[in-house]
Amino acid sequence: MASKAAQKRLSKEFMTMQREPPPFVWAAPDEKNILTWNYLIRGPPDSPYAGGEFHGVLLFPPEYPFKPPGIKMYTPSGRFQPDKKICFSMSDFHPGTWNPAWSVATILTGLLSFMLSDEMTTGSVNSSDPHKRILASKSHSFNLSQPRFREAFPDYCTPTPRDLPNMGEKERGKPDVPSTSTVQHVNISSLILPSTSATPTPQLILRRTQGAALQLAVNPMPAAPEAHNAITHGNRPAVPQGWAASWRQVIWEKWRWGVLIALAVIVSKITSTY
């Protein structure tokens, strides 16, 4: 059973793996046991493993991250013995050199680097590059025949090998978004309260790329057309200056009419006297 530290650490690492997958590798914990992770390695271009799909397992101890995992590769590769523990600096063969700061991504990146080398160690085999290429071409068919592969990676049980979330495009200076990506436009005007304004609303763009996270972008908002106004500066009515100005106007009108009425009364009395 995993310790609390191992449970917390591995859960965090799975979130990191989903958010920032390393080039050519992918891994996920077993649904029943977080200490067991199945991984996939895709053979990089310009290597004897190009086009290959290699399935294996990481076996973490309950004391992880303070102790290293055991590492196996199930798919025949011509580099490692299938279903045998592999000895290299990040495996449980070398607990003295283990660094608790290393993660699942670090381990698998190191395993891929070790796979591309010629160093012989426990769990490795020696074979020619042509033999490795033959095994790489048969690797997906072999994986499909294995129940543990089908159970661990049902989404990758396709007629041809499926790309991992990160196939190293960025590292090779190529665009991150492949040509197979689709774009879906969603108008956000249906997601906000109605408005009487005629100003156009921007659009959200959801980019869905096979094997990658959903990307969100915003279309530039078109400029709002200038509203036609028949009132010019010459005939535009005066703008009220506030409540104080309004009260002064009312008082002046009442005072003026009061003076006129008073004068009319005085003139009437003078006239009646004569």
Side-chain angles (χ1 to χ4, degrees):
M1 178 181 292
S3 64
K4 290 184 178 180
Q7 180 86 23
K8 182 177 180 180
R9 174 68 175 268
L10 290 172
S11 297
K12 181 179 179 180
E13 290 189 24
F14 182 51
M15 295 176 62
T16 303
M17 174 67 67
Q18 292 179 305
R19 186 173 63 252
E20 300 174 358
F24 306 112
V25 299
W26 176 252
D30 186 272
E31 294 182 355
K32 300 177 182 178
N33 184 5
I34 198 171
L35 295 177
T36 301
W37 284 53
N38 285 274
Y39 69 81
L40 288 177
I41 291 180
R42 290 298 304 274
D46 303 324
S47 77
Y49 311 102
E53 176 188 69
F54 305 97
H55 172 217
V57 66
L58 302 178
L59 304 171
F60 292 96
E63 298 83 7
Y64 182 81
F66 304 106
K67 289 186 178 181
I71 304 172
K72 292 182 178 181
M73 182 175 287
Y74 296 136
T75 309
S77 62
R79 179 69 175 95
F80 303 119
Q81 298 179 42
D83 203 8
K84 299 292 183 181
K85 279 193 173 184
I86 302 169
C87 171
F88 85 113
S89 58
M90 295 183 182
S91 72
D92 57 0
F93 279 87
H94 297 279
T97 61
W98 170 253
N99 186 341
W102 290 339
S103 64
V104 172
T106 308
I107 296 167
L108 291 178
T109 301
L111 178 62
L112 174 58
S113 178
F114 187 66
M115 183 176 179
L116 297 174
S117 72
D118 296 324
E119 181 181 351
M120 295 300 296
T121 184
T122 303
S124 63
V125 296
N126 190 13
S127 65
S128 64
D129 286 354
H131 181 64
K132 292 173 183 175
R133 293 189 180 96
I134 292 174
L135 292 177
S137 65
K138 298 179 178 179
S139 59
H140 185 62
S141 298
F142 174 85
N143 289 337
L144 292 178
S145 68
Q146 303 300 303
R148 54 192 170 192
F149 174 83
R150 296 196 301 269
E151 181 180 356
F153 298 109
D155 292 341
Y156 288 86
C157 294
T158 52
T160 57
R162 175 184 169 186
D163 284 351
L164 300 182
N166 185 351
M167 289 299 292
E169 298 295 320
K170 182 177 180 180
E171 288 72 11
R172 299 198 300 274
K174 297 183 179 180
D176 292 337
V177 181
S179 58
T180 56
S181 63
T182 59
V183 178
Q184 177 182 356
H185 294 268
V186 179
N187 195 327
I188 64 171
S189 60
S190 61
L191 306 179
I192 60 177
L193 294 176
S195 172
T196 57
S197 172
T199 303
T201 57
Q203 284 186 329
L204 294 181
I205 298 179
L206 303 180
R207 291 187 174 90
R208 299 183 183 274
T209 304
Q210 181 179 5
L214 193 65
Q215 299 178 353
L216 180 64
V218 180
N219 261 355
M221 186 172 63
E226 183 178 356
H228 177 72
N229 191 349
I231 301 177
T232 63
H233 289 284
N235 60 7
R236 185 175 297 169
V239 179
Q241 300 299 319
W243 63 270
S246 301
W247 275 107
R248 285 197 299 269
Q249 184 70 20
V250 171
I251 293 172
W252 164 250
E253 293 292 338
K254 290 185 177 181
W255 182 83
R256 185 178 62 176
W257 282 107
V259 171
L260 292 176
I261 293 173
L263 289 175
V265 171
I266 294 172
V267 172
S268 177
K269 288 184 177 180
I270 294 173
T271 304
S272 61
T273 302
Y274 294 98

